[in-house]
Amino acid sequence: MAKGHRSQIKRERNAQKDTRPSAKLSYARVSVQKACFVLDAIRGKDVETALGIVMYNPRYASTLVEKLLKSAIANAENNNGMNRDNLYVAECYANKGPTMKRIRPRAQGRAYRIEKRMSHITIVLDEK
């Protein structure tokens, strides 16, 4: 256990937290691989360009990422007092979530396993 008073330990832990505005979508019904196609396209871009890319991307994950990006922008403006024109996508990633296991009946009494994957998507913004 760390040395020091509890309040001192908490103060140090809070000082190490990332204060950049972010938004997280948990248990999104899209696989990590499919979400990463969209996230790779917007990583490092400014917010307006990223919104344009996501808005006209035909993939299903792009609708989820668009809502998440708008939420992160609103968090930056309202909670951190940042200007929308100076924001860019600093980090965006998708982590593996739980998998729903389903069974598909096949011929002669057999069954195939269907895995419906989920992911946790995170977008972190920063100022230029």
Side-chain angles (χ1 to χ4, degrees):
M1 189 164 152
K3 293 184 177 183
H5 197 266
R6 280 189 188 156
S7 61
Q8 181 184 2
I9 295 169
K10 284 184 179 179
R11 213 174 301 118
E12 290 173 5
R13 191 181 314 134
N14 287 337
Q16 294 172 357
K17 282 189 179 176
D18 194 9
T19 57
R20 297 182 296 180
S22 64
K24 183 173 183 179
L25 173 63
S26 298
Y27 304 104
R29 269 290 290 122
V30 62
S31 70
V32 174
Q33 186 177 8
K34 292 176 182 177
C36 280
F37 280 122
V38 179
L39 295 175
D40 288 343
I42 66 168
R43 188 175 293 116
K45 304 271 194 311
D46 64 291
V47 168
E48 294 303 323
T49 307
L51 274 175
I53 290 170
V54 168
M55 202 173 294
Y56 294 105
N57 195 327
R59 294 182 177 270
Y60 169 73
S62 65
T63 58
L64 301 174
V65 172
E66 179 183 1
K67 289 173 79 172
L68 194 61
L69 186 59
K70 287 179 180 178
S71 175
I73 293 167
N75 289 341
E77 289 177 340
N78 297 323
N79 299 342
N80 297 43
M82 295 178 169
N83 188 4
R84 182 182 181 134
D85 299 330
N86 298 333
L87 294 175
Y88 75 98
V89 180
E91 294 178 28
C92 56
Y93 52 88
N95 293 329
K96 185 179 173 189
T99 303
M100 293 190 295
K101 283 119 184 149
R102 301 292 182 259
I103 302 242
R104 181 93 178 162
R106 301 318 260 167
Q108 298 181 354
R110 294 182 176 88
Y112 283 175
R113 189 175 189 175
I114 304 294
E115 294 183 345
K116 299 185 175 190
R117 301 181 188 276
M118 290 186 226
S119 59
H120 306 302
I121 304 171
T122 305
I123 294 179
V124 180
L125 302 179
D126 205 357
E127 281 189 314
K128 293 179 186 175

